[in-house]
Amino acid sequence: MINKNLRKLKFLLIKLFRIKENAHNVSLGFTLGFLIHFIPSFGMGPILSTVGAKLFKGNPIAGFISGVALIWLFPFLFYLNVVVGETLFPYGIFPSAAGMPSHGLDAGIHLGAVFFIGMIINIILFGMVVYYLIYTIMRKYRISFLTIVKKWEIKK
């Protein structure tokens, strides 16, 4: 099973590095495809990744590749949204008089606000980092990475 997933990853990376478009469009498409995973999309992530990349004039193939290849990250990114939001606003946006919310509705509103704030901050920060990383790789090291990925040996 692990070898099967490694073969799929190798295939997707080869497809990504063979895209014949400028580094900006590929980076933008890949980044937008990745950022969809910070948002609960209920299984529509790869489709939204492709459409979002196309909508913002990025490469839709790169968006689809990151949408499919990184779909397993969603639970971690969801948790990261909550952690970042809770760190910055430990009592939510609208704190109750006693501090932490005690009722079910207050707790739900608190969690929703914390998640939303964490999501916005993570999208901005990770968007800049992933775009710069992919842009640098696509601009300077595309051929080197493609050669390395092609040499990977995956046992059957």
Side-chain angles (χ1 to χ4, degrees):
M1 171 129 168
I2 292 175
N3 289 337
K4 182 179 177 183
N5 289 334
L6 286 176
R7 278 195 305 269
K8 287 179 185 178
L9 178 65
K10 179 180 176 179
F11 172 76
L12 291 173
L13 286 174
I14 289 172
K15 285 288 188 190
L16 178 69
F17 291 125
R18 283 187 176 172
I19 294 174
K20 301 287 186 205
E21 201 167 338
N22 64 15
H24 168 72
N25 289 348
V26 174
S27 303
L28 185 62
F30 188 89
T31 302
L32 290 171
F34 168 71
L35 293 179
I36 282 296
H37 298 302
F38 282 103
I39 304 166
S41 59
F42 306 105
M44 300 293 289
I47 295 169
L48 292 175
S49 298
T50 307
V51 170
K54 184 98 171 147
L55 187 67
F56 288 100
K57 298 188 178 12
N59 187 297
I61 296 170
F64 180 75
I65 288 171
S66 66
V68 169
L70 302 174
I71 201 164
W72 59 272
L73 279 175
F74 173 73
F76 303 110
L77 300 178
F78 188 94
Y79 180 68
L80 185 64
N81 289 342
V82 175
V83 169
V84 168
E86 189 68 40
T87 301
L88 295 176
F89 296 100
Y91 300 115
I93 309 251
F94 309 109
S96 62
M100 284 296 289
S102 59
H103 295 86
L105 184 59
D106 291 338
I109 291 172
H110 167 74
L111 184 60
V114 161
F115 175 82
F116 187 75
I117 289 171
M119 179 184 71
I120 296 299
I121 291 168
N122 285 335
I123 284 175
I124 292 169
L125 291 176
F126 279 91
M128 290 188 297
V129 169
V130 169
Y131 175 82
Y132 178 74
L133 181 68
I134 298 299
Y135 181 79
T136 303
I137 289 171
M138 296 303 281
R139 179 105 181 174
K140 295 181 181 178
Y141 306 110
R142 182 188 303 222
I143 304 300
S144 302
F145 269 80
L146 186 58
T147 308
I148 290 169
V149 170
K150 282 182 176 180
K151 289 182 181 178
W152 281 356
E153 290 195 27
I154 301 171
K155 297 177 184 178
K156 293 184 179 183

